[in-house]
Amino acid sequence: MTVRYSRAKMKLALATALIPLVCSIAAHASAPLARPFAVNPSPASLAFTQYLVDKGLVDPTAEENARYGFVNRGNTPVIMTKISVSCGCLKPEVIVGDQRFRPNDQDELLLPIPPGEQGMILLRVQMANQEPGAHEYTLTVETRPARSKESQSTDLAFQLRVPDRGVTVRPASMVLYHNGGRIEEQSITVTDMRPDHFRVEGVSCDSDLVQLRVEDAVADENGFRRIPIKLAVSDHVPPGKNVTVVRIFTDDPEYPELRVPLWIYGPKQPNAQISTGEAPAKH
């Protein structure tokens, strides 16, 4: 049996079948257009050639150093804002081209690194100030893109092993506080445990606040030669942190200069009105 449909009925059936498709197209057309994804520019990035320097067993010489090369691989300048070290015996120095930069007393450093610029961070440590055995020092470098306040930090490490050696300096560093009273005379002792002793030819300090005096060498209970160096601090220490270095010069080519970092904290500064640099308002 053959079923025949009239032309009118066929058109009605076709129109009914197309209703869902037409509604779907209309709904899609009336929907808000999706926004394209925003493409962020490549962030500024300071990359280091190495993050760990391991010297292994070192010779007990006057100084060891570690070098960390870096390059700005981003497309915007990077600001190196701060360098913090785990030991005051480390003296970080940033070298860019033929220029050298050091952090201030608060470890702060505002050094712009343009895109593609290369440089190096140099760490130095005096072996005579370190105890025998394994040592690990850390250095944290804080940076931020030039047009951002968001800071990033990178940790660097320096490892070495100090053998038993013949020369020591104690203390390795000194922190003194001046709270309105007088700072008692301090002592630094250089000990030479080798058969052939060196001679201290002179001492100096980078600060006028410190006076140094080398006393006669004496033999300790083990027969080692000990050289006391007396340190006196002025009664007139300015407020805040004063950072300096005591330098000890010898006639030994292996230990030509021994250094002792010194922090002197003056009395707290009384509360004072902070100037904003703006002219006072006129009334």
Side-chain angles (χ1 to χ4, degrees), residues 200-254:
V200 173
E201 295 185 325
V203 291
S204 71
C205 184
D206 296 346
S207 173
D208 295 335
L209 298 172
V210 177
Q211 299 294 324
L212 300 168
R213 182 180 76 255
V214 181
E215 296 196 336
D216 294 336
V218 296
D220 63 13
E221 63 275 9
N222 298 313
F224 301 141
R225 191 167 185 257
R226 298 165 63 93
I227 306 170
I229 300 170
K230 297 299 181 180
L231 182 151
V233 179
S234 169
D235 293 338
H236 305 288
V237 178
K241 181 168 67 172
N242 303 273
V243 182
T244 185
V245 177
V246 173
R247 304 179 187 274
I248 305 167
F249 304 99
T250 81
D251 62 354
D252 191 324
E254 287 191 357

Side-chain angles (χ1 to χ4, degrees), residues 128-132 165 168-172 187-191 260:
N129 295 34
Q130 310 304 311
E131 294 286 350
R165 75 278 186 195
T168 62
V169 180
R170 296 291 178 271
S187 182
I188 299 172
T189 301
V190 180
T191 303
V260 179

Side-chain angles (χ1 to χ4, degrees), residues 85-97:
V85 292
S86 61
C87 176
C89 58
L90 301 173
K91 294 297 180 184
E93 191 174 34
V94 183
I95 303 173
V96 179

Side-chain angles (χ1 to χ4, degrees), residues 175-190:
V175 180
L176 304 176
Y177 293 89
H178 188 287
N179 296 318
R182 183 174 183 272
I183 298 179
E184 297 296 329
E185 188 176 62
Q186 305 293 312
S187 182
I188 299 172
T189 301
V190 180

